[in-house]
Amino acid sequence: MTEAPAAITDLDLAACEREPIHVPGSIQPHGALFVIDGAGVVRKAAIGALAEGLVEGDPIGRDLADLLPEEARKTIAALDSRLVAGRGPEHLCFLRTAAGAFHFVAHRSGNDIIVELERALGDEPGSFDEVYPDVRAFLDAVQRTEGVQALAELAAREVRRITGLDRALIYRFDAEWNGAVIAEDNGGRLPVYLDLRWPASDIPAQARELYRINRLRLIADADYEPAPIGPDGGDVDLTYSVLRSVSPVHLEYMRNMETMASMSISLLSGDRLWGLISCHHLDPVRVPYHVRAACEFIGQVVSMQIAAHEASALAMRRDALRGVHIRLLAHMAAEDHFIDGLLSHPNDLMALTGADGAAVVAGGRCTRLGETPAETDILALVEWLSGQDREDVFVTDSLAAEWTGGERMKDLGSGVIAMSISQVHDSYLIWFRPELVRTVSWGGDPAKRAELGPDGLRLHPRKSFEIWQETVQLHARPWQEAELDASAELRVAIVDIVLRRAEEMAALSERLAAINKELEAFSYSVSHDLRAPFRHIVGYAQLLKKFEGERLSERGDRYIETIIESAISAGRLVDDLLSYSQMGRSTITPVSIDVGAMIREAQTNLTVEGERHRIEWHVGDLMAVRADPVMVRLVVQNLLENALKFSREREPAVIEVGAEVKEGDVITWVRDNGAGFDMAYVDKLFGVFQRLHREEEFEGTGIGLANVKRIVERHGGRVWAEGEPDRGATFFFALPAA
Amino acid sequence: MADLKPILLVEDSPKDVELTLAALEQCQLANAVIVVRDGAEALDYLFARGAYENRSTGDPAVVLLDLKLPKVDGLQVLEQIKADAHLKGTPVVMLTSSREERDLVRSYSLGVNAFVVKPVGFEQFFEAIRDLGMFWAVLNEPPPRGSAPRP
């Protein structure tokens, strides 16, 4: 026997999956099949060896009623009105003929009706009454069993007892359609297969689909000679047929397995094929019709029980996780930032998916809880995930199978649920499960699913059913449906929170914009309506002084001067306030600014005003900054004016200007040797209308330094000051270097 | 110099009118000063219609235009002056109480010849009006009729 090259094997297996097994063109030999039209005329027929002599001559083109004994006539006449499309075969009557006794079974297939006459056994017709006690006992026992496992064991035992076959297995499919024997009742004539597995390819997809639709199948003799459907049976759909012939590959599989007869009953959970009750017999054997009916009934009861068990197990798990979910929501709601709510309750977070560890990755930072891979590994995983074009949630039982980096972190992170919680940033919430090394017993090497025969052309199925053990590595315990649902729900909640926050922010900024607009309108009207009266006061006072000045007393003259000065300073206050409010809304156009040139310019203006006393300037090397020139000019002017104002009592006034670079920012400072201030009040220095000196000592509106602070901070910089009463002050501002 | 053209002062505040007139008086300009109190009246004067239908011919040497006016505001008056083929050569000085950037931008984009924020101090205000009066009413040489205004 030569080894089959892998490429050929895969190709042939694919061919095997395409084999149209629902139209085999033949039947098993223990009966006859007629395809008749609505009028009862036979279009096609197959007569098996065990039905020989049932009809005389070629039945094609003749009325079926004419071919069969008189007692079948009524049944045949009623067929067209009785049979409903899409339903399984109906047992219509028991027919005694010269060739023997037959079960008359029929179903509709498209426009045709398919009549099958299955050869009865010697002691038939049996009745449901014969098996009823067994069925009732089974139903009673079902009530007392708890869990799917106990149910499977009960079903295997009862089906074998009712059928008398050598072995009854309960075969269960997993998510990938691999199957495992989870329960077995064995009479000792065939090997025990309990706990063995077979790969999905042993029961190809189209075979599974047939199992799903037609719930019971009997192969009476693996060595049977199929009876062809004539004249051309290649298109007759035998999906619902009881006599349907099976694939030669399957028969070979049975012979290799050393079981000459088999019967299978499908188990469904809802609409999905869940597993099979699979019975085998060492010798060819036929199971009587009523026994098979009882087995089908048992199969239906088991299916319903499984569905109920699975639904209630899922509901219980969901219920438990729901509680965890609600707690997590409460934790998130209690925190300013919802992530903190998750991080501060690691046990709930991990319980939500039954994980051993979890991590939150946000803004390149990684917070780990429980048993997780190293931070560098998690960040690498996130990087890989964000590079993929994936769904929002990534789930795997075996990270190593999906990603080469996965093998390194298998000990703590073989199973992963990773969900992105922000579309904009690479933020992820990740759960981890460690590797769980298991030994799995296969019924034969799962890799050698099939082999090429000595002829080299035809595919032969599995030959060896020897236990073949495999150690499954790099896999974690699979995530359950309820756990995945819970994680998805949490994601929805988080996205909701994020969205709600975003909406709140949008509403807030909308309100802010409205307030800003109002403020703008306010400052606009202030500038007009408040400035004008001040201008008028000054104007009229000066006119008064001009035209009536000679007639005023010295005191009257002083009063007028005070009126003028006060109105002018009030007008200046309005101007300053307006520029302060404009500072917040005018746009910034940052360019590279030569601070030195700006200082020299301001110096010249100031020296003209400061002619009265001597000023000693020490201007060091200044560095260019990146900012809005109009605004920075205001800063420079304000600080120099400030220095000059508070040092005018000094002889000479010394003003130093210097700069240094620190962490990409240029820090420029202006120092004077003037009145200084108490550091206890340093916080008040930059506030609006905050003054540290009595009004008569130093003039000013109290907005200048507030403006400086506002301008610098709008550029992302900062201002601060140092001082000592009577020992001068230093003002610093930091702006980005050019 | 034949026929001195008048100065058109458009100002709604009587106090500002009085102060402006006092300031112009100080400059000892010989030009007549025509005072109108809102934008609509200003346009009536400029386009010689309504109450000014029979005004003497000759356009103002300069329009001193307050920005904030009842009825038709200063910007609208400016817009109509600059949109008129005949009037667009007449210099317009916008006077305003506020330093609002957008007013400034809008005025210049409409072709204003000067933009003055009225200073609070009377001396400065005097100076400003005097300078404006001197420049626009005396020194400035208007473009010949029908030709385009200077940039």
Side-chain angles (χ1 to χ4, degrees):
Chain A
M1 162 104 209
T2 51
E3 284 286 309
I8 294 175
T9 307
D10 281 351
L11 205 68
D12 287 351
L13 277 170
C16 187
E17 279 183 8
R18 282 197 306 272
E19 187 185 345
I21 57 175
H22 65 298
V23 285
S26 62
I27 58 168
Q28 295 183 51
H30 55 280
L33 178 141
F34 301 96
V35 180
I36 60 173
D37 60 19
V41 178
V42 176
R43 298 283 171 217
K44 294 172 187 186
I47 313 294
L50 286 179
E52 227 164 84
L54 179 65
V55 292
E56 278 174 29
D58 185 2
I60 306 300
R62 292 164 63 190
D63 268 352
L64 183 62
D66 296 340
L67 296 171
L68 297 179
E70 180 64 26
E71 56 175 305
R73 187 170 292 273
K74 251 169 120 178
T75 310
I76 294 165
L79 282 177
D80 199 34
S81 58
R82 176 162 184 175
L83 298 176
V84 179
R87 262 223 214 124
E90 280 191 53
H91 189 280
L92 295 166
C93 67
F94 189 74
L95 200 61
R96 286 171 208 283
T97 73
F102 289 88
H103 296 278
F104 189 111
V105 180
H107 69 277
R108 189 179 283 281
S109 170
N111 293 325
D112 296 325
I113 290 165
I114 295 178
V115 172
E116 293 175 271
L117 294 166
E118 180 185 333
R119 179 70 190 260
L121 293 159
D123 51 356
E124 289 193 283
S127 78
F128 194 72
D129 290 347
E130 292 171 37
V131 287
Y132 177 66
D134 290 325
V135 170
R136 198 182 59 188
F138 170 76
L139 285 177
D140 287 344
V142 163
Q143 302 298 322
R144 293 190 302 269
T145 54
E146 276 190 28
V148 171
Q149 185 56 41
L151 183 68
E153 285 164 11
L154 174 71
R157 199 163 59 239
E158 290 303 304
V159 167
R160 198 177 86 78
R161 193 155 69 91
I162 296 172
T163 58
L165 296 174
D166 285 332
R167 183 174 64 195
L169 306 170
I170 307 296
Y171 192 74
R172 178 182 189 167
F173 294 108
D174 68 12
E176 277 79 46
W177 297 109
N178 301 310
V181 176
I182 62 164
E184 176 168 357
D185 197 64
N186 196 313
R189 294 215 298 164
L190 288 171
V192 172
Y193 281 174
L194 185 64
D195 290 337
L196 292 192
R197 277 156 199 271
W198 282 272
S201 56
D202 272 30
I203 303 177
Q206 86 280 34
R208 289 195 300 266
E209 182 59 12
L210 272 184
Y211 277 130
R212 200 180 69 81
I213 296 171
N214 189 351
R215 310 280 172 81
L216 189 139
R217 167 123 46 265
L218 174 73
I219 300 164
D221 182 354
D223 274 336
Y224 77 85
E225 234 3 275
I229 303 172
D232 51 338
D235 62 346
V236 181
D237 186 342
L238 296 185
T239 299
Y240 289 105
S241 157
V242 294
L243 291 173
R244 179 171 62 80
S245 191
V246 294
S247 163
V249 179
H250 185 73
L251 295 176
E252 194 175 343
Y253 189 96
M254 284 176 68
R255 289 194 293 269
N256 292 347
M257 218 170 150
E258 289 171 351
T259 63
M260 292 309 284
S262 78
M263 183 180 80
S264 60
I265 302 140
S266 309
L267 299 175
L268 282 84
S269 175
D271 265 351
R272 186 181 191 272
L273 186 65
W274 182 92
L276 300 168
I277 302 174
S278 184
C279 304
H280 302 108
H281 206 66
L282 187 64
D283 318 305
V285 70
R286 286 172 52 215
V287 179
Y289 202 93
H290 68 284
V291 173
R292 273 147 55 203
C295 289
E296 197 175 344
F297 178 70
I298 286 174
Q300 274 179 352
V301 170
V302 172
S303 288
M304 279 160 60
Q305 288 290 315
I306 287 167
H309 274 299
E310 291 198 332
S312 84
L314 187 64
M316 271 168 68
R317 182 81 179 116
R318 280 224 169 95
D319 218 41
L321 295 183
R322 187 86 211 145
V324 179
H325 177 78
I326 288 166
R327 284 205 301 277
L328 282 173
L329 283 186
H331 301 329
M332 288 196 286
E335 299 285 346
D336 281 342
H337 195 46
F338 66 91
I339 292 279
D340 296 337
L342 301 178
L343 295 179
S344 54
H345 297 84
N347 289 339
D348 277 344
L349 185 59
M350 287 186 271
L352 189 71
T353 61
D356 288 28
V360 174
V361 180
R365 267 189 47 228
C366 173
T367 312
R368 298 182 297 151
L369 307 165
E371 306 275 309
T372 70
E375 181 169 332
T376 50
D377 287 339
I378 296 175
L379 291 176
L381 169 66
V382 164
E383 200 185 321
W384 172 70
L385 283 174
S386 11
Q388 306 284 103
D389 189 23
R390 287 193 178 282
E391 304 277 308
D392 294 327
V393 181
F394 165 77
V395 181
T396 184
D397 302 335
S398 175
L399 185 60
E402 310 253 351
W403 174 50
T404 46
E407 189 160 353
R408 201 171 59 236
M409 49 204 273
K410 69 179 169 69
D411 288 345
L412 294 161
S414 275
V416 169
I417 301 177
M419 53 195 206
S420 97
I421 49 178
S422 163
Q423 298 291 331
V424 191
H425 312 288
D426 287 340
S427 300
Y428 283 87
L429 182 50
I430 310 174
W431 286 275
F432 296 100
R433 274 183 184 174
E435 178 185 38
L436 182 72
V437 179
R438 289 170 301 157
T439 303
V440 173
S441 304
W442 297 92
D445 182 351
K448 286 189 184 168
R449 299 177 290 192
E451 290 159 352
L452 285 182
D455 46 21
L457 290 172
R458 213 172 67 77
L459 188 72
H460 293 269
R462 175 180 308 295
K463 279 207 159 65
S464 165
F465 291 84
E466 285 296 299
I467 292 177
W468 193 95
Q469 288 200 321
E470 183 195 18
T471 306
V472 177
Q473 287 173 315
L474 301 172
H475 274 74
R477 187 165 53 85
W479 304 99
Q480 291 176 21
E481 192 184 334
E483 293 160 348
L484 293 176
D485 288 351
S487 72
E489 263 174 54
L490 184 69
R491 183 175 184 280
V492 169
I494 288 175
V495 169
D496 264 4
I497 291 173
V498 173
L499 279 183
R500 201 168 51 239
R501 287 270 157 94
E503 273 169 15
E504 281 169 7
M505 294 289 277
L508 214 62
S509 70
E510 223 167 80
R511 256 181 60 208
L512 257 173
I515 289 171
N516 261 339
K517 224 170 173 164
E518 244 169 67
L519 208 72
E520 204 175 318
F522 173 72
S523 55
Y524 185 80
S525 73
V526 160
S527 80
H528 271 91
D529 302 346
L530 212 52
R531 250 175 132 260
F534 290 132
R535 207 172 61 243
H536 298 151
I537 292 168
V538 175
Y540 281 100
Q542 282 184 328
L543 284 177
L544 182 65
K545 196 177 161 188
K546 190 171 174 71
F547 294 110
E548 311 288 331
E550 281 144 32
R551 275 189 272 161
L552 285 173
S553 64
E554 200 180 312
R555 188 196 280 185
D557 200 50
R558 188 164 56 80
Y559 287 169
I560 287 191
E561 274 304 322
T562 308
I563 291 172
I564 293 172
E565 265 174 42
S566 303
I568 285 180
S569 84
R572 193 178 301 135
L573 174 63
V574 170
D575 280 351
D576 284 354
L577 265 180
L578 190 65
S579 72
Y580 181 76
S581 82
Q582 277 176 331
M583 214 61 76
R585 50 201 162 92
S586 52
T587 46
I588 290 178
T589 318
V591 293
S592 175
I593 297 170
D594 181 352
V595 182
M598 218 169 245
I599 298 249
R600 281 192 297 279
E601 190 187 310
Q603 247 178 293
T604 336
N605 293 339
L606 291 169
T607 318
V608 178
E609 286 176 30
E611 271 169 324
R612 290 184 297 266
H613 76 298
R614 203 153 64 82
I615 307 163
E616 218 174 82
W617 291 96
H618 299 284
V619 181
D621 286 336
L622 299 178
M623 275 150 267
V625 298
R626 195 168 164 73
D628 185 287
V630 178
M631 293 197 182
V632 171
R633 178 171 287 113
L634 259 172
V635 169
V636 167
Q637 245 162 17
N638 260 306
L639 289 182
L640 292 188
E641 269 172 27
N642 207 57
L644 208 61
K645 183 164 49 175
F646 289 100
S647 62
R648 69 174 172 226
E649 308 290 320
R650 298 285 185 267
E651 199 57 46
V654 180
I655 299 175
E656 293 172 59
V657 187
E660 60 172 330
V661 177
K662 215 173 197 176
E663 288 163 10
D665 285 342
V666 173
I667 299 169
T668 310
W669 43 266
V670 177
R671 178 172 299 141
D672 65 70
N673 63 339
F677 61 88
D678 189 334
M679 281 301 273
Y681 306 121
V682 71
D683 292 339
K684 288 189 155 190
L685 218 49
F686 295 98
V688 179
F689 298 135
Q690 297 287 347
R691 310 169 62 102
L692 299 187
H693 298 275
R694 281 193 302 278
E695 202 179 325
E696 64 268 28
E697 288 176 309
F698 301 102
E699 74 291 342
T701 55
I703 297 178
L705 285 177
N707 251 340
V708 167
K709 180 178 160 79
R710 197 155 185 196
I711 290 170
V712 172
E713 285 181 352
R714 275 206 66 193
H715 284 81
R718 57 208 170 87
V719 287
W720 67 101
E722 287 166 7
E724 211 179 311
D726 235 23
R727 306 282 297 267
T730 312
F731 287 86
F732 302 86
F733 65 92
L735 284 172
Chain B
M1 219 185 282
D3 292 345
L4 274 181
K5 291 177 172 184
I7 293 169
L8 179 65
L9 174 63
V10 191
E11 176 62 79
D12 66 313
S13 153
K15 292 172 189 141
D16 273 332
V17 170
E18 193 176 354
L19 291 173
T20 309
L21 290 176
L24 286 170
E25 199 182 301
Q26 298 261 305
C27 319
Q28 298 181 321
L29 290 172
N31 308 55
V33 179
I34 309 229
V35 180
V36 292
R37 303 297 304 280
D38 59 47
E41 209 180 329
L43 291 171
D44 279 354
Y45 181 87
L46 286 165
F47 291 98
R49 63 194 187 198
Y52 297 97
E53 201 177 351
N54 299 314
R55 74 165 164 88
S56 55
T57 51
D59 298 322
V62 59
V63 181
L64 302 179
L65 182 61
D66 190 47
L67 185 93
K68 235 178 111 186
L69 289 169
K71 299 182 188 168
V72 184
D73 76 15
L75 286 170
Q76 288 170 302
V77 173
L78 172 66
E79 193 173 3
Q80 295 206 29
I81 292 173
K82 294 302 176 185
D84 185 75
H86 170 68
L87 281 173
K88 67 182 172 189
T90 306
V92 179
V93 176
M94 191 67 87
L95 294 170
T96 171
S97 287
S98 96
R99 243 180 260 279
E100 280 292 316
E101 202 179 78
R102 54 173 184 203
D103 289 343
L104 215 140
V105 170
R106 182 107 180 92
S107 298
Y108 276 108
S109 72
L110 288 174
V112 81
N113 300 77
F115 189 99
V116 175
V117 180
K118 296 175 189 168
V120 171
F122 191 54
E123 271 161 39
Q124 294 98 300
F125 184 61
F126 263 27
E127 268 173 46
I129 295 297
R130 195 176 59 224
D131 292 352
L132 287 169
M134 290 297 277
F135 181 75
W136 294 110
V138 180
L139 301 175
N140 185 46
E141 200 63 49
R145 286 224 104 143
S147 75
R150 272 176 229 189

